[in-house]
């Protein structure tokens, strides 16, 4: 968008449902939560931030006078008492870039992409990070990264005209190939997603009244613009937010969803044929302003989805900033208890039908009832979150912040 294993003192494998049930008070009728990933403890220091300003609207960011990550107890967000619960554990990156792109491959392997053309990779759970940025990319704003494993990844740079580009690596970032450069000054690419290691999509804000979809069938080596015949018309002022790499998400081999904002109504588009035809529905998340809408989506299968967003401007209230769908995005229902403020990233926890995480510049929430109610557990600033099947959950954000989810013990 143009403007914007065993529980001990150190836990390194997983957190079971019983541990979370003790740590938090789940809402009545909530399903049992599945395993929650936890990581090795880490610390990190914030350095100067290369923040983009609100008029960018692709940023979706806000200034944050945050306290240390994990300071808020899940059961009592206002206290610093160490009660049992989830917490983010910082993994120092040595960078001051803002990482809005995150691809979690496993508990040990992850990629982040961000401002100043930075791309980092870890293969040891975040203890060490390798700068694998594409040569000559320092002037680009990377907002999304999709990784297939520790060696193969695709990154998206956003911006008007030629600033929107796609790069691909097959050797862990040792070399990169620019596989797409936008040549239409009216296009502005925001997010991308992959159905598998070959088939993926990238989305541009509306061009001539409709969202534009870019498609690849060879793992990001080449791209083509899809016909717009099956795309519903955009609202005046409607666009997508390049805030977390989650405005375009896929589940399974063919289903994909697109989140929008900036117009009279926030909406979610759905395609069941890899982007050739689309249906669209309103989402009950604050809209009616260029800074409001749906910022992030997560679907655990073809039917069950979560949406988060709100108003990204600092100090602005974001009531009703989360919604749920049980019918593939055909309809959306507001969460009974939403995150307290704007949230840009959301992810289902692995192997769970009911647990998920939401993150934003002012904190993080956990739901144990599939998005109906959310409860805060952290005040650290993060823009995006991603979890892996082997029980790894990662978050990334401003000032080089990257963290893994862990269990806080009393």
């Amino acid at each position: 968008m143009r403007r914007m294993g065993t529980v001990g003192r150190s836990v390194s494998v997983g957190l079971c449902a019983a541990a979370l049930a003790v740590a938090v008070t789940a809402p009545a009728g909530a399903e049992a939560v599945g395993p929650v990933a936890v990581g090795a403890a880490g610390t990190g220091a914030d350095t100067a931030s290369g923040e983009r300003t609100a008029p960018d609207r692709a940023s979706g960011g806000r200034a944050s006078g945050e306290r240390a990550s994990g300071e808020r107890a899940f059961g009592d967000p206002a206290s610093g008492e160490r009660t049992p619960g989830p917490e983010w554990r910082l993994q120092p990156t040595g960078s001051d870039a803002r990482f809005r792109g995150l691809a979690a491959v496993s508990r040990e392997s992850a990629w982040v992409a961000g401002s100043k053309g930075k791309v980092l990779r870890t293969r040891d759970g975040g203890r060490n990070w390798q700068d694998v940025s594409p040569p000559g990319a320092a002037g680009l704003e990377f907002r999304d990264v999709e990784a297939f494993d520790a060696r193969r990844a695709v990154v998206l740079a956003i911006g008007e005209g030629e600033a929107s580009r796609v790069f691909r690596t097959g050797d862990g970032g040792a070399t990169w190939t620019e596989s797409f450069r936008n040549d239409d000054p009216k296009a502005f690419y925001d997010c991308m997603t992959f159905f598998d290691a070959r088939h993926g999509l990238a989305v541009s804000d509306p061009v001539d009244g409709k969202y534009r979809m870019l498609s690849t069938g060879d793992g990001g080596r080449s791209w083509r613009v899809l016909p717009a015949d099956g795309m519903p018309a955009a609202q005046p002022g409607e666009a997508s937010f390049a805030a977390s790499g989650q405005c375009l998400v896929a589940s399974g081999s063919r289903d994909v969803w697109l989140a929008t904002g900036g117009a009279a109504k926030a909406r979610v588009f759905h395609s069941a044929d890899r982007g050739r035809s689309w249906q669209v529905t309103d989402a009950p998340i604050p809209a009616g302003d260029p800074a409001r809408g749906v910022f992030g989506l997560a679907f655990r299968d073809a039917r069950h989805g979560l949406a988060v967003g709100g108003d990204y401007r600092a100090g602005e209230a974001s009531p009703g900033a989360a919604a749920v769908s049980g019918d593939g995005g055909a309809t959306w229902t507001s969460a009974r208890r939403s995150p307290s403020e704007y949230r840009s990233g959301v992810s289902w926890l692995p192997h769970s039908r009911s647990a998920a995480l939401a993150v934003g510049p002012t904190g993080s929430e956990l739901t144990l009832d599939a998005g109906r109610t959310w409860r805060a557990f952290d005040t650290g600033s993060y823009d995006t979150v991603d979890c892996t099947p082997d029980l790894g959950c990662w978050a990334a954000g401003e000032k080089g912040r990257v963290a893994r989810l862990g269990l806080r013990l009393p």
Side-chain angles (χ1 to χ4, degrees), residues 62 284-286 291-293 295 308-322 338-343 362:
R62 67 174 72 194
I285 283 180
R292 299 175 186 163
F295 281 72
V308 298
D311 189 322
Y312 72 70
R313 293 172 296 190
E316 294 295 324
S318 290
S338 289
S340 58
E341 298 183 62
Y342 152 77
R343 295 293 177 254
T362 60

Side-chain angles (χ1 to χ4, degrees), residues 195 201 250-257 270-276:
F195 303 94
L201 296 174
S251 180
S253 62
R254 306 190 71 80
D255 287 285
V256 59
W257 295 265
H270 172 231
S271 172
D273 56 10
R274 292 184 180 169
R276 291 174 177 81

Side-chain angles (χ1 to χ4, degrees), residues 326-345:
D327 56 10
T331 61
W332 292 87
T333 303
S334 295
R336 292 198 300 267
R337 177 175 175 173
S338 289
S340 58
E341 298 183 62
Y342 152 77
R343 295 293 177 254
S344 52

Side-chain angles (χ1 to χ4, degrees), residues 4 11 24 48 77 95 104 110 115 130 145 171 185 195 199 211-212 226 231 239 358:
M4 234 302 32
V11 187
V24 302
S95 173
S115 59
Q130 180 184 10
V145 55
D171 55 12
F195 303 94
H199 301 91
Y211 279 94
R212 174 171 290 181
L226 292 180
M231 178 66 72

Side-chain angles (χ1 to χ4, degrees), residues 223-237:
W223 299 82
R224 65 183 181 92
V225 175
L226 292 180
D229 300 359
M231 178 66 72
Q235 302 174 91

Side-chain angles (χ1 to χ4, degrees), residues 24 42 64 66-79 81-83 85-90 339-343 357-366 374-383 395-396 401-408:
V24 302
S64 172
E66 66 180 83
R67 288 173 285 176
S69 176
E71 181 177 337
R72 294 172 70 176
F74 186 80
D76 181 8
S79 84
E81 182 184 354
R82 285 187 62 85
T83 57
E87 67 176 355
W88 289 117
R89 294 175 176 173
L90 286 166
S340 58
E341 298 183 62
Y342 152 77
R343 295 293 177 254
L357 300 164
V359 302
T362 60
S364 300
E365 281 81 16
L366 171 70
W374 295 86
R375 299 193 178 203
F377 71 91
D378 192 279
T379 57
S381 176
Y382 299 102
D383 295 307
R401 294 170 60 91
V402 180
R404 294 176 65 189
L405 195 66
L407 171 64
R408 178 177 58 249

